[in-house]
């Protein structure tokens, strides 16, 4: 990366950091406590054009590249994981730009990019999450449109979003991707889940009960959805890794601040060697994860053959770091870390799901091992 590029990205990061501290952090505790969407931060994010960051300017976006998306996700998650997830969740529609018709792009992407509408995607089903190609939701042609039948589980923004990207079977061994609007006949939503973490991000089932959509809502070829979704997951896996990295960095930030200010035996506890050893290990985890993530982003942006392997490496390292670092941050706070008055308690709860979604870390390890054997 050239020095001019590094400087540009650093300026962008600095602006995101100021935004996160000024507009996101003050509401993070209330968003978690009240289990509500971060409306204050979302409104403020519109001024920066964050909802439209990855989309082309012709559709109201900013043409932001993958690294700028990673920086944004990371810096927002550093102070509030739920806000980061909610603001960036519409980015999953980037695949519609690559494969959808111009008419579909105008109908879906433009209002999402400009913040007028919200989006979600539906992959996971009650029968399983890791086995994506085992999806039982069906899409069948019906007259001049499509009929969708099935249930999608654990859907971020369900009931709150306007557009839903649905992955469905279109034949014995084929899949398609379809855009469903909340006003389409036959779509309904389950109860909001009462979650351990990410409580500011609504999660519920999306139920498609003979949901009828018109022709033209299919994304590209309705028999090539599996190919499209694998491509889309590649980018989203990197932003999810960035989300976890932001949580890890936030936990480290809080631990450093607290151990500097907390005194025992007449001195700041940051002076104690055992605590310093814990902090050093936290720094090692965060920086190792960041290094691999940024390398993975670079490989993806430049089309390297091993980009998929690095995406899995980044997802595992960043999410494992998030869980380990926030757990240690709670420990370093002592009894105060167990109280909801301190951000580390929320961060620890938010961190856990990063090891589960977007391909569990166990599945990622299988992929990593597969790539390692294939390289021999």
């Amino acid at each position: 990366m050239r020095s001019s590029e590094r400087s540009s990205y650093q300026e962008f990061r600095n602006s995101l950091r100021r935004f996160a501290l000024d507009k996101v952090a003050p509401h993070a505790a209330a968003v978690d406590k009240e289990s509500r969407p971060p409306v204050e931060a979302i409104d403020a994010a519109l001024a920066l054009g964050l909802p439209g960051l990855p989309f082309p300017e012709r559709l109201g976006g900013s043409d932001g590249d993958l690294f700028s998306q990673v920086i944004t996700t990371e810096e927002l998650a550093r102070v509030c994981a739920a806000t980061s997830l909610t603001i960036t969740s519409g980015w999953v529609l980037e695949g519609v730009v690559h494969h959808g018709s111009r008419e579909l792009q105008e109908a879906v992407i433009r209002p999402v990019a400009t913040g007028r509408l919200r989006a979600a995607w539906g992959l996971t089903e009650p029968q399983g999450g890791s086995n994506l190609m085992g999806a039982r939701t069906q899409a069948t042609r019906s007259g001049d449109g499509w009929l969708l039948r099935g249930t999608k589980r654990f859907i971020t923004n369900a009931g709150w979003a306007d557009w839903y990207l649905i992955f469905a079977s279109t034949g014995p061994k084929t899949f398609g991707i379809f855009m469903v609007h909340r006003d389409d006949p036959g779509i309904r939503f389950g109860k909001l889940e009462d979650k351990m973490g990410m409580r500011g991000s609504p999660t519920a089932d999306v139920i498609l009960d003979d949901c009828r959509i018109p022709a033209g809502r299919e994304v590209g070829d309705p028999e090539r959805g599996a190919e499209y979704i694998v491509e889309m997951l590649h980018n989203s896996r990197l932003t999810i890794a960035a989300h976890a990295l932001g949580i890890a960095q936030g936990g480290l930030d809080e631990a450093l601040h607290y151990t500097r200010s907390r005194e025992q035996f007449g001195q700041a506890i940051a002076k104690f060697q055992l605590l310093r050893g814990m902090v050093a290990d936290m720094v090692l985890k965060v920086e190792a994860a960041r290094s691999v993530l940024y390398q993975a982003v670079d490989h993806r942006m430049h089309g390297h053959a091993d980009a998929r392997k690095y995406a899995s490496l980044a997802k595992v390292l960043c999410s494992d770091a998030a869980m380990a670092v926030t757990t240690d941050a709670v420990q370093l706070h002592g009894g105060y870390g167990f109280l909801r008055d301190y951000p580390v308690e929320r961060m620890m709860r938010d961190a856990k799901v990063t090891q589960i979604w977007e391909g569990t870390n166990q599945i990622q390890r299988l992929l990593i091992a597969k790539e390692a054997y294939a390289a021999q």
Side-chain angles (χ1 to χ4, degrees):
M1 185 184 294
R2 295 189 298 271
S3 59
S4 60
E5 291 177 320
R6 286 197 297 270
S7 176
S8 176
Y9 282 127
Q10 188 58 51
E11 290 175 8
F12 180 69
R13 183 187 294 277
N14 291 342
S15 70
L16 259 298
R17 183 64 177 153
R18 289 191 297 270
F19 171 81
L21 291 173
D22 294 344
K23 303 296 184 181
V24 178
H27 308 289
V31 163
D32 177 75
K33 183 178 181 179
E34 299 167 17
S35 296
R36 63 168 177 84
V39 291
E40 301 91 349
I42 292 170
D43 290 342
L46 294 177
L48 292 183
L50 296 185
L53 181 65
F55 303 122
E57 291 182 5
R58 65 178 175 82
L59 292 172
S62 306
D63 271 323
D65 63 16
L66 181 58
F67 194 38
S68 66
Q69 296 170 43
V70 163
I71 290 172
T72 300
T73 306
E74 180 186 344
E75 290 299 326
L76 295 179
R78 191 170 171 176
V79 297
C80 182
T83 297
S84 179
L85 179 63
T86 304
I87 288 177
T88 63
S89 59
W91 295 356
V92 298
L93 300 182
E94 195 172 1
V96 178
V97 177
H98 299 301
H99 306 294
S101 66
R102 281 297 182 100
E103 293 77 15
L104 189 63
Q105 291 174 27
E106 285 289 339
V108 176
I109 301 298
R110 184 177 296 279
V112 170
T114 55
R116 290 188 287 114
L117 298 180
R118 292 177 286 267
W121 67 350
L123 302 183
T124 301
E125 297 191 356
Q127 297 80 14
S130 297
N131 182 19
L132 185 58
M133 300 309 162
R136 297 185 184 180
T137 296
Q138 295 181 334
T140 56
R141 293 187 184 274
S142 177
D144 60 350
W146 294 86
L147 207 62
L148 277 71
R149 183 182 296 112
T151 298
K152 295 297 183 177
R153 179 139 295 169
F154 302 140
I155 305 306
T156 299
N157 287 351
W160 190 62
D162 302 279
W163 282 108
Y164 296 84
L165 185 149
I166 301 295
F167 183 71
S169 170
T170 55
K173 295 184 179 181
T174 61
F175 298 88
I177 297 174
F178 303 86
M179 296 307 305
V180 178
H181 193 274
R182 62 174 300 119
D183 293 335
D184 289 330
I187 184 174
R188 56 191 176 91
F189 307 98
K191 68 175 181 65
L192 288 175
E193 302 292 353
D194 188 10
K195 300 176 296 182
M196 174 195 294
M198 302 290 174
R199 297 182 63 82
S201 171
T203 302
D205 285 358
V206 175
I207 303 163
L208 304 164
D209 189 5
D210 287 338
C211 178
R212 188 175 297 276
I213 63 173
R217 294 274 197 85
E218 63 273 15
V219 177
D221 186 339
E223 295 188 354
R224 296 177 62 193
E227 172 188 335
Y228 301 155
I229 209 70
V230 168
E231 174 189 317
M232 294 161 69
L233 279 169
H234 198 151
N235 276 15
S236 70
R237 190 159 288 156
L238 292 173
T239 55
I240 284 295
H243 184 254
L245 177 61
I247 298 172
Q249 182 65 63
L252 177 59
D253 293 342
E254 293 296 328
L256 291 171
H257 173 74
Y258 181 81
T259 54
R260 282 195 185 106
S261 59
R262 175 68 168 168
E263 290 191 0
Q264 288 288 294
F265 305 105
Q267 62 180 329
I269 62 174
K271 299 290 186 180
F272 299 153
Q273 285 186 328
L274 279 176
L275 269 65
R276 283 184 169 244
M278 289 179 66
V279 168
D281 286 340
M282 293 162 75
V283 172
L284 285 165
K285 290 180 175 71
V286 170
E287 293 303 329
R290 177 174 287 116
S291 177
V292 173
L293 172 60
Y294 291 177
Q295 189 173 1
V297 172
D298 182 74
H299 284 210
R300 173 64 172 166
M301 291 176 66
H302 292 91
H304 291 191
D306 58 359
R308 181 180 178 183
K309 177 187 76 174
Y310 273 88
S312 292
L313 287 169
K315 199 274 181 179
V316 172
L317 284 170
C318 290
S319 57
D320 281 354
M323 195 69 245
V325 170
T326 56
T327 299
D328 282 348
V330 169
Q331 186 72 22
L332 288 170
H333 278 67
Y336 292 106
F338 205 63
L339 305 180
R340 293 202 171 186
D341 295 339
Y342 289 79
V344 290
E345 183 271 342
R346 180 185 76 248
M347 292 174 174
M348 181 178 171
R349 287 187 286 108
D350 288 343
K352 183 58 204 174
V353 75
T354 67
Q355 296 177 306
I356 299 171
W357 62 16
E358 211 71 17
T360 66
N361 283 10
Q362 287 71 29
I363 290 293
Q364 298 305 322
R365 284 178 165 87
L366 289 178
L367 295 174
I368 292 166
K370 180 180 178 180
E371 294 285 341
Y373 279 112
Q376 290 293 313

